[in-house]
Amino acid sequence: MLSSSVAVAPLIREPLHAPVAHLIRGGVVEGIHYGSVVVLGADGKVQLQLGDIEAAFYPRSALKPVQAVSMVRAGLPLDGELLSLTAASHSGEERHLAGTRRILELAGLTEDHLRNVTDMPFDPVVRDEWIRTGRLPSRLAHNCSGKHAAMLYTCKLNGWSLDGYLDPEHPLQQAIAEIVEDLTGQRIAQVTVDGCGAPLFSISLHGLARATARITTAAEGTPEARVANAMREHAEMASGAGRDVAALMRAVPGLLAKDGFEGVEVAALPDGRAVAVKISDGANRARIPVTAAALARAGVDPALLTRFAGEPLLGGGEPVGAVRPARALEPLTVRACA
């Protein structure tokens, strides 16, 4: 049953984004990335907001931890690496493919049962090797295949039809939608289709941060805690080797983080502090520096975040600038009394 505290759906409107990062070259602002940022305190209250944190938007893969929680609540018995893979946007490494095959085997199914689109591996190095060796796009290589395998396993366990498991009216997707509303604390504004073919639920940036905080603060043994622990302990299984989201979780003790296409990032600490970021133009180069700045505003030691300040801009092969978070995201300083 949904909590009585579930609020109305966020409004579908043109988001009122604000400048969140500057592209600085040679001391001059060459470009501006707009977006929205929310920082929640441990008490769940908004400590900082930039842009439009209440408008309806699509969280893309940043919602996968919530989807994983819904499947565990529905009886999915996975833990550890395989549960992390359930919430993954994986790179297509052999461990990701092997893990997806294992989930399908546990369900008594095969790759042919998957209904996500075919694709090449997400990681450029892995993808190049696939091309070099003549391997073709496959459903297994798609970055969402772990989630889809877990969806099929959940259906098998509940006696739900495997056909049409991506239909928004299917019992699986109805169960997921219910948990999305439960954890975000708001009704879903719109349902469409994500890149992989699964239903995509529109919520607010504030709701995404709130849901992720609820996952990280849940009691041990709950579906939420199982998902959070699996992703933190097996960060590369939820992403891949060399991925910034995994590095961020390794750098900040207890942090749960998840990225999504079109410039989305969410991260939360065990005490409930959380941040969520949406870069309006989907630029990946602004996503992590802005997220790191938001985490610093949330109270994370800036020394843990220095490697996430953003890659330098090059001129003639030499660093001449960088993407820098907007001043509004700079950590607060306390001035001593005169």
Side-chain angles (χ1 to χ4, degrees):
M1 296 296 291
L2 288 177
S3 168
S4 60
S5 62
V6 173
V8 298
L11 292 177
I12 299 175
R13 64 187 181 211
E14 182 177 346
L16 303 174
H17 291 306
V20 294
H22 293 142
L23 180 66
I24 300 174
R25 182 183 295 272
V28 173
V29 175
E30 183 178 30
I32 300 174
H33 289 291
Y34 285 75
S36 296
V37 179
V38 61
V39 177
L40 301 183
D43 59 0
K45 294 182 179 178
V46 175
Q47 302 296 311
L48 172 73
Q49 66 179 68
L50 290 179
D52 196 343
I53 69 170
E54 303 296 354
F57 92 120
Y58 290 120
R60 302 300 297 272
S61 288
L63 196 64
K64 282 179 179 174
V66 177
Q67 293 172 307
V69 167
S70 70
M71 286 185 268
V72 175
R73 287 194 187 185
L76 186 70
L78 302 178
D79 280 298
E81 289 188 347
L82 295 185
L83 184 52
S84 183
L85 184 60
T86 296
S89 299
H90 66 71
S91 292
E93 299 164 17
E94 288 303 326
R95 59 178 158 182
H96 300 129
L97 276 59
T100 301
R101 290 191 192 97
R102 180 57 181 154
I103 295 173
L104 291 169
E105 288 171 0
L106 289 170
L109 304 172
T110 69
E111 182 180 351
D112 291 338
H113 289 90
L114 294 172
R115 289 295 175 265
N116 57 281
V117 297
T118 61
D119 203 356
M120 301 292 281
F122 177 76
D123 183 271
V125 175
V126 179
R127 183 170 60 248
D128 287 349
E129 178 63 16
W130 269 58
I131 295 172
R132 188 187 67 80
T133 57
R135 298 176 74 174
L136 299 175
S138 74
R139 297 186 192 277
L140 207 63
H142 191 283
N143 75 90
C144 298
S145 65
K147 177 184 77 175
H148 281 255
M151 285 181 170
L152 286 166
Y153 193 7
T154 303
C155 289
K156 193 75 176 291
L157 291 167
N158 284 277
W160 296 331
S161 170
L162 301 183
D163 295 330
Y165 76 92
L166 298 182
D167 188 325
E169 299 303 317
H170 188 281
L172 169 71
Q173 301 303 337
Q174 290 290 298
I176 291 175
E178 181 176 325
I179 303 308
V180 169
E181 293 188 336
D182 183 28
L183 291 180
T184 62
Q186 60 190 181
R187 302 293 176 183
I188 293 167
Q190 184 74 285
V191 181
T192 188
V193 183
D194 209 341
C196 64
L200 177 60
F201 306 106
S202 180
I203 54 174
S204 71
L205 196 66
H206 188 181
L208 177 63
R210 184 164 49 231
T212 309
R214 288 176 175 172
I215 290 173
T216 60
T217 57
E220 281 297 320
T222 61
E224 291 88 339
R226 284 171 56 188
V227 170
N229 290 339
M231 292 182 68
R232 287 185 295 224
E233 293 168 10
H234 304 279
E236 285 79 13
M237 202 65 167
S239 54
R243 294 273 292 279
D244 53 37
V245 67
L248 190 61
M249 284 195 276
R250 296 295 186 204
V252 181
L255 186 72
L256 173 67
K258 185 69 187 75
D259 54 351
F261 279 156
E262 298 303 323
V264 181
E265 183 92 15
V266 66
L269 292 154
D271 64 2
R273 288 175 290 160
V275 307
V277 170
K278 164 63 180 176
I279 307 300
S280 66
D281 62 0
N284 209 42
R285 67 182 179 187
R287 174 181 53 83
I288 277 292
V290 171
T291 299
L295 285 169
R297 282 297 298 265
V300 173
D301 183 355
L304 300 175
L305 302 167
T306 53
R307 64 176 292 192
F308 305 102
E311 297 182 4
L313 298 179
L314 302 180
E318 297 296 328
V320 295
V323 176
R324 292 286 180 246
R327 287 182 179 272
L329 283 166
E330 292 180 356
L332 296 174
T333 57
V334 178
R335 293 184 179 180
C337 295

